[in-house]
Amino acid sequence: MSIATRARAEIQALSPYSAAVQVADTTRLNANEAPWTSGSDRFRRPLNRYPEVRPARLRSALAERFGCDASKLLVTRGSSEAIDLLIRSFCGAGQDNIVTTQPTFSMYSHYAVIQGVECREVGLDPNDDFRLDISRLLDACDERTKLVFACSPNNPTGTSVPRDALIELAGQLDGRAAVVVDEAYIEFATQASMVDHLSRLDNLVVLRTLSKALAFAGARCGAVMGPDDVVSMLNAVQAPYALATPVVECVEDALDARWLREAEQRVREIISERERLVAALGRCDSIGYIWPSDANFLLVRVKAVDALLEATREARVLLRYFGAPLADCVRITVGSVEENDRLLACLDAMQEHAE
């Protein structure tokens, strides 16, 4: 049974927006567009014309990069839009629920609240390096569970979920719920993407983004991949012309082989810096524990979190503080060598002052 049948009935019956036809080398008097271009327009495609409803060339390029058929991919405004589309499509307000972990990316629960959907959170044990217990996740599911979100590597803990565990999770929930694997940070991990299991697991959905490894957070571009009928359904829900022409063009350029090679080198540098930071932070008296990370950040336990945050703010270095249940922790993004040195110098100054 297709997992698309677990979506809201009205969404399953929804047809995509019927946009004005776009044909090259024609006089376009069918879309109420302006007939002139602005003098500030510097793009390959004129901005007086609507972009493609769904950018076909970009879709194919992303499918090639991520390793799936184009029919299984929808280009989204970052992976955050994909989360919103999934929850709105599958979950009825006041009826259904999603299951995820705690701590994890807060937008799963955020979009659930917007949709009026219960979010069930399974706590991760910091003393077990926040490893995901599949059995506890399954215990949280019932007949009203439509989506199970697993962020791997997880934000903010940096922990990856083993592929075998994700395969088991999808198998246990086959026909009952979609398993959504959020791989925003997968390029920084040694574990391979779950995309290669899309053809084998009918309820698997994978999220990817260009914000991290490709350094295109400002472009707001990502992708959701899954069964053809699920992608078609999400396509009907997504707003028409979702990707602006400048975004489409800059991402097409970023997917050129030369820039992809540069990005791969930058990722290797971040991983190297991550290991250098781990070693340096381990020598700081103010740091209590550093959790293993497969991402471009580190979650660390701090002995005096308020003092650390005040010192780094004064040094004009910003760290991420989440509060409960991570009240004694901060998340440190791995920056450039110079940025990381600035942080370490701040910590050294704190230590000297304490002595």
Side-chain angles (χ1 to χ4, degrees):
M1 180 181 71
S2 169
I3 199 62
T5 62
R6 291 286 284 155
R8 293 163 51 196
E10 61 271 31
I11 299 298
Q12 294 181 53
L14 188 66
S15 297
Y17 172 73
S18 180
V21 175
Q22 298 178 345
V23 180
D25 300 323
T26 58
T27 300
R28 288 170 57 161
L29 302 179
N30 61 340
N32 297 339
E33 300 160 325
W36 69 88
T37 57
S38 167
S40 65
D41 188 343
R42 296 291 185 269
F43 294 92
R44 295 190 294 273
R45 301 168 176 89
L47 295 186
N48 65 313
R49 303 300 181 185
Y50 282 106
E52 291 178 87
V53 176
R54 301 289 179 256
R57 180 182 166 192
L58 179 56
R59 182 189 194 189
S60 296
L62 287 174
E64 180 179 355
R65 169 166 173 76
F66 297 140
C68 72
D69 295 335
S71 63
K72 296 183 181 298
L73 182 146
L74 179 69
V75 185
T76 56
R77 289 167 287 192
S79 54
S80 293
E81 184 190 26
I83 298 165
D84 184 31
L85 291 173
L86 285 162
I87 293 176
R88 283 194 287 135
S89 299
F90 276 88
C91 301
Q95 303 173 32
D96 300 317
N97 66 72
I98 68 168
V99 173
T100 187
T101 59
Q102 179 60 244
T104 193
F105 187 39
S106 63
M107 294 309 291
Y108 310 139
S109 60
H110 182 88
Y111 285 125
V113 169
I114 291 173
Q115 182 64 8
V117 169
E118 180 188 5
C119 179
R120 299 180 175 181
E121 298 176 325
V122 175
L124 301 175
D125 186 356
N127 296 317
D128 192 29
D129 288 338
F130 297 105
R131 289 187 179 89
L132 178 61
D133 186 337
I134 294 300
S135 62
R136 293 186 61 220
L137 208 61
L138 289 169
D139 287 344
C141 299
D142 62 15
E143 69 279 0
R144 281 301 187 181
T145 301
K146 297 293 185 70
L147 301 165
V148 176
F149 285 92
C151 189
S152 181
N154 186 35
N155 176 19
T157 67
T159 313
S160 292
V161 183
R163 278 160 57 96
D164 289 349
L166 293 169
I167 293 167
E168 178 187 351
L169 180 64
Q172 293 285 343
L173 293 172
D174 186 28
R176 296 168 51 198
V179 174
V180 185
V181 182
D182 187 343
E183 296 183 339
Y185 301 92
I186 191 69
E187 289 93 342
F188 301 96
T190 56
Q191 182 168 291
S193 169
M194 287 294 292
V195 170
D196 60 358
H197 278 76
L198 286 176
S199 59
R200 303 171 215 172
L201 299 172
D202 293 334
N203 61 333
L204 176 65
V205 176
V206 178
L207 309 183
R208 296 290 292 269
T209 182
L210 306 185
S211 297
K212 317 300 180 183
L214 262 67
F216 263 67
R220 306 308 304 129
C221 185
V224 53
M225 291 164 282
D228 292 24
D229 52 359
V230 170
V231 169
S232 295
M233 187 173 61
L234 299 177
N235 172 57
V237 176
Q238 188 184 41
Y241 315 115
L243 274 294
T245 294
V247 171
V248 172
E249 292 194 357
C250 78
V251 175
E252 286 175 347
D253 292 344
L255 294 173
D256 180 83
R258 135 180 93 147
W259 302 122
L260 290 178
R261 286 192 299 270
E262 179 190 70
E264 289 170 0
Q265 175 59 34
R266 297 291 190 182
V267 167
R268 288 191 290 269
E269 292 170 4
I270 289 294
I271 293 172
S272 176
E273 277 297 288
R274 182 181 70 196
E275 301 313 310
R276 184 175 77 94
L277 266 183
V278 168
L281 292 172
R283 296 188 292 268
C284 294
D285 291 342
S286 58
I287 303 300
Y289 187 75
I290 307 165
W291 278 277
S293 175
D294 290 330
N296 68 332
F297 57 81
L298 298 169
L299 183 69
V300 302
R301 180 178 287 138
V302 181
K303 295 178 181 177
V305 68
D306 290 338
L308 174 66
L309 291 172
E310 181 180 357
T312 53
R313 277 195 298 267
E314 289 179 358
R316 303 190 64 79
V317 175
L318 300 180
L319 307 180
R320 186 68 182 269
Y321 178 67
F322 294 93
L326 299 172
D328 59 349
C329 301
V330 294
R331 191 191 67 191
I332 302 172
T333 302
V334 180
S336 66
V337 172
E338 294 76 17
E339 289 171 334
N340 298 332
D341 284 345
R342 193 174 306 144
L343 169 65
L344 294 174
C346 176
L347 295 176
D348 287 343
M350 277 186 64
Q351 190 160 315
E352 290 175 4
H353 181 73
E355 293 172 353

